Amino acid sequence: MTTWMVKQMGEIRNAERTRKAIVEAAREEFFEKGYSGTRIESIARRAGVNKQLIYHYFKGKEHLIQETIDSFVTSLPTGKITLPDNPADIAAFRLKVNLDHLREFLKFTAWEAVESIPENSRGEKARKKVLESYNEHMKKQQVEGKVPGELDPALITLMMSSLTIYPLLYPNVTRMITGRTLDEPEFQEQWAQYLQRICERIFRQEDNPV
């Protein structure tokens, strides 16, 4: 390998590291401040690069948010977010996944309700695929007689999403109601156990038509 080739490979690796640092900084900024509240200058500061360098790698903020969401979704440990077979375990499981892997991303999704985010910048295709897989999982559970046939799989998914996301996104309201928040490990365990008990009542197999 020639000196020129070694130099070229080094430059490529440096470019990859710089691009990765920019995307990581952008994720922190977007998730913390939302799309409208994030500035390219802030991303540059957090990444430790100058603003002009960001425009060398990305066309602008819309391009950057696309890359940020795509990078986050593909980085999720899919082996750790596969739903359990027992439907009574799903809500507690999803709560743990949200706490361990999706907490900051879920905060970002809350910004969608209050600000304008470019339609193709929300990672909707990947997110929809995950949510639809939850629906399909519930349909499979119904076929196997584990979930009551009269329950709409989509509404079950919506219910579980609400129960496992709301306390994370609205800690102040959660504190006003319960005196606790999901930042407290004890309340995490308490809420997970409550979700488990609720789901066991909903999905009691002896009541389910096969």
Side-chain angles (χ1 to χ4, degrees), residues 103 105-110 165-172 174:
R103 184 190 291 253
F105 177 70
L106 290 171
K107 291 179 181 177
F108 169 76
T109 65
I165 292 174
Y166 188 95
L168 270 175
L169 293 186
Y170 301 100
N172 289 337
T174 302

Side-chain angles (χ1 to χ4, degrees), residues 14-184:
N14 286 336
E16 290 173 347
R17 282 195 293 268
T18 299
R19 196 176 194 281
K20 182 179 179 182
I22 292 171
V23 171
E24 289 178 350
R27 182 180 64 200
E28 293 173 0
E29 287 287 321
F30 283 128
F31 286 10
E32 178 183 330
K33 302 174 182 176
Y35 182 78
S36 298
T38 294
R39 299 287 179 266
I40 293 293
E41 293 85 350
S42 300
I43 295 173
R45 255 193 320 273
R46 194 182 285 260
V49 301
N50 62 54
K51 178 179 175 180
Q52 288 70 30
L53 190 58
I54 290 181
Y55 286 108
H56 174 74
Y57 291 100
F58 303 97
K59 297 175 184 177
K61 194 162 75 166
E62 184 172 337
H63 183 199
L64 197 47
I65 187 65
Q66 292 172 7
E67 290 286 329
T68 298
I69 300 300
D70 288 346
S71 172
F72 175 79
V73 171
T74 57
S75 71
L76 290 174
T78 53
K80 294 184 179 180
I81 60 176
T82 303
L83 295 177
D85 287 331
N86 186 346
D89 297 334
I90 292 176
F93 174 81
R94 286 189 58 187
L95 175 66
K96 179 173 173 52
V97 169
N98 290 345
L99 287 166
D100 292 348
H101 304 292
L102 300 177
R103 184 190 291 253
E104 297 307 315
F105 177 70
L106 290 171
K107 291 179 181 177
F108 169 76
T109 65
W111 287 104
E112 294 176 339
V114 296
E115 65 178 12
S116 176
I117 300 175
E119 286 293 331
N120 59 345
S121 302
R122 302 175 180 179
E124 285 194 14
K125 184 180 292 186
R127 290 160 59 187
K128 186 176 181 180
K129 183 177 179 181
V130 171
L131 294 172
E132 287 179 342
S133 75
Y134 293 165
N135 292 347
E136 292 304 314
H137 183 79
M138 277 298 163
K139 291 177 184 178
K140 179 174 178 289
Q141 300 281 9
Q142 285 181 323
V143 171
E144 295 175 357
K146 298 178 181 178
V147 173
E150 70 271 14
L151 297 181
D152 186 322
L155 297 184
I156 296 175
T157 296
L158 178 61
M159 175 194 72
M160 291 193 175
S161 297
S162 302
L163 291 171
T164 59
I165 292 174
Y166 188 95
L168 270 175
L169 293 186
Y170 301 100
N172 289 337
V173 176
T174 302
R175 183 187 294 109
M176 284 184 241
I177 295 171
T178 67
R180 314 289 292 276
T181 75
L182 283 177
D183 288 329
E184 304 169 48

